[in-house]
Amino acid sequence: MMGDVSDEPETAPKPKRRIKLLLIVAAVVLVLDVVSKVIAVRLLQPGKPVPIFGDTVSWTLVRNSGAAFSFATGYTWVLTLIAISVVAGILFIGRRLVSTWWAIGLGMILGGALGNLVDRFFRGPGPLRGHVVDFLSVGWWPVFNVADPSVVGGAILLVALSLFGYDYDREGRSQPQGSSSEDATPDHDVNPDHKDAESADAQSSQTKPS
């Protein structure tokens, strides 16, 4: 019987949240950053670079009071507060995160920010003012650690996603407003049988005797 068929519309399934992926990426970056810094502090001495590829690439232990790649030195406590705000903002967005690529980018930034925050809180000269351990020197570029390229790479990825129309709260590219498959359908193709009938009527009227 037709009465058994439900007239209620089917609800679309909720999109899968990517908070777990974000946390996994962040954890991987954080572990790599912390472990590499511990090894660098134990094996390297300040002012004594260890060449890897001649003088171009070397292990160089540096204590950095500034931001990524040794920028903004002298503003340690300000940078610490900014990093804390970034972490809080990412965790807030993560509750509605749907895009896989956004999860990866935000995870890279979160892991890098947490890695440098560990140094800010637990290394000298004191909490909120701790100097970050950098250990890799490449050419003329400032000495850096694992967290620095992770933060910058994640930020570049998010900018690229935004430019190409990928939002954090949906999978795939967002569609322009007002565009639909119905709008793209030409009017003259809506009912071809109706137009054929009109043509037949016109021909029959012309053939009738006056």
Side-chain angles (χ1 to χ4, degrees), residues 9 25 31-32 45 101 106 120 150:
V25 174
V31 170
L32 291 176
Q45 297 181 4
W101 286 107
L106 289 174
R120 300 295 188 197
S150 178

mmCIF file of all heavy atoms in Angstrom, residues 9 25 31-32 45 101 106 120 150:
data_model
loop_
_atom_site.group_PDB
_atom_site.id
_atom_site.type_symbol
_atom_site.label_atom_id
_atom_site.label_comp_id
_atom_site.label_asym_id
_atom_site.label_seq_id
_atom_site.Cartn_x
_atom_site.Cartn_y
_atom_site.Cartn_z
ATOM 1 N N PRO A 9 11.196 14.188 4.199
ATOM 2 C CA PRO A 9 12.428 14.248 3.398
ATOM 3 C C PRO A 9 13.599 13.634 4.144
ATOM 4 O O PRO A 9 13.691 13.721 5.373
ATOM 5 C CB PRO A 9 12.627 15.758 3.190
ATOM 6 C CG PRO A 9 11.918 16.398 4.346
ATOM 7 C CD PRO A 9 10.739 15.518 4.635
ATOM 8 N N VAL A 25 48.332 15.231 13.148
ATOM 9 C CA VAL A 25 49.387 15.979 12.459
ATOM 10 C C VAL A 25 50.152 16.849 13.454
ATOM 11 O O VAL A 25 51.386 16.912 13.439
ATOM 12 C CB VAL A 25 48.788 16.847 11.337
ATOM 13 C CG1 VAL A 25 49.856 17.746 10.717
ATOM 14 C CG2 VAL A 25 48.158 15.963 10.262
ATOM 15 N N VAL A 31 56.241 16.038 18.371
ATOM 16 C CA VAL A 31 57.207 15.018 18.795
ATOM 17 C C VAL A 31 58.521 15.176 18.041
ATOM 18 O O VAL A 31 59.615 15.136 18.643
ATOM 19 C CB VAL A 31 56.619 13.607 18.598
ATOM 20 C CG1 VAL A 31 57.692 12.540 18.804
ATOM 21 C CG2 VAL A 31 55.462 13.377 19.558
ATOM 22 N N LEU A 32 58.444 15.360 16.728
ATOM 23 C CA LEU A 32 59.668 15.543 15.937
ATOM 24 C C LEU A 32 60.444 16.773 16.394
ATOM 25 O O LEU A 32 61.682 16.755 16.485
ATOM 26 C CB LEU A 32 59.313 15.657 14.456
ATOM 27 C CG LEU A 32 58.796 14.388 13.768
ATOM 28 C CD1 LEU A 32 58.399 14.694 12.329
ATOM 29 C CD2 LEU A 32 59.850 13.294 13.803
ATOM 30 N N GLN A 45 77.401 22.027 20.272
ATOM 31 C CA GLN A 45 77.881 23.084 21.144
ATOM 32 C C GLN A 45 77.703 24.435 20.460
ATOM 33 O O GLN A 45 77.968 24.556 19.258
ATOM 34 C CB GLN A 45 79.364 22.875 21.497
ATOM 35 C CG GLN A 45 79.634 21.599 22.273
ATOM 36 C CD GLN A 45 81.108 21.438 22.624
ATOM 37 O OE1 GLN A 45 81.916 22.321 22.354
ATOM 38 N NE2 GLN A 45 81.450 20.315 23.224
ATOM 39 N N TRP A 101 42.440 18.927 3.893
ATOM 40 C CA TRP A 101 43.639 19.739 3.687
ATOM 41 C C TRP A 101 43.753 20.854 4.712
ATOM 42 O O TRP A 101 44.854 21.207 5.146
ATOM 43 C CB TRP A 101 43.647 20.303 2.265
ATOM 44 C CG TRP A 101 43.961 19.272 1.242
ATOM 45 C CD1 TRP A 101 43.112 18.702 0.345
ATOM 46 C CD2 TRP A 101 45.241 18.648 1.013
ATOM 47 N NE1 TRP A 101 43.766 17.764 -0.426
ATOM 48 C CE2 TRP A 101 45.065 17.715 -0.045
ATOM 49 C CE3 TRP A 101 46.494 18.781 1.599
ATOM 50 C CZ2 TRP A 101 46.111 16.931 -0.514
ATOM 51 C CZ3 TRP A 101 47.547 17.996 1.128
ATOM 52 C CH2 TRP A 101 47.343 17.092 0.079
ATOM 53 N N LEU A 106 46.311 23.271 9.399
ATOM 54 C CA LEU A 106 46.163 23.738 10.775
ATOM 55 C C LEU A 106 46.945 22.857 11.751
ATOM 56 O O LEU A 106 47.482 23.343 12.751
ATOM 57 C CB LEU A 106 44.689 23.765 11.159
ATOM 58 C CG LEU A 106 43.842 24.857 10.504
ATOM 59 C CD1 LEU A 106 42.364 24.677 10.860
ATOM 60 C CD2 LEU A 106 44.318 26.252 10.930
ATOM 61 N N ARG A 120 59.459 28.104 25.179
ATOM 62 C CA ARG A 120 59.148 29.377 25.847
ATOM 63 C C ARG A 120 58.854 29.182 27.331
ATOM 64 O O ARG A 120 59.191 30.036 28.160
ATOM 65 C CB ARG A 120 57.942 30.034 25.175
ATOM 66 C CG ARG A 120 58.107 30.354 23.700
ATOM 67 C CD ARG A 120 59.157 31.393 23.448
ATOM 68 N NE ARG A 120 59.155 31.813 22.043
ATOM 69 C CZ ARG A 120 60.157 32.461 21.464
ATOM 70 N NH1 ARG A 120 61.230 32.787 22.180
ATOM 71 N NH2 ARG A 120 60.086 32.803 20.193
ATOM 72 N N SER A 150 57.356 24.054 9.633
ATOM 73 C CA SER A 150 56.011 23.496 9.769
ATOM 74 C C SER A 150 54.979 24.610 9.867
ATOM 75 O O SER A 150 53.932 24.558 9.208
ATOM 76 C CB SER A 150 55.940 22.602 11.004
ATOM 77 O OG SER A 150 54.639 22.088 11.180
#
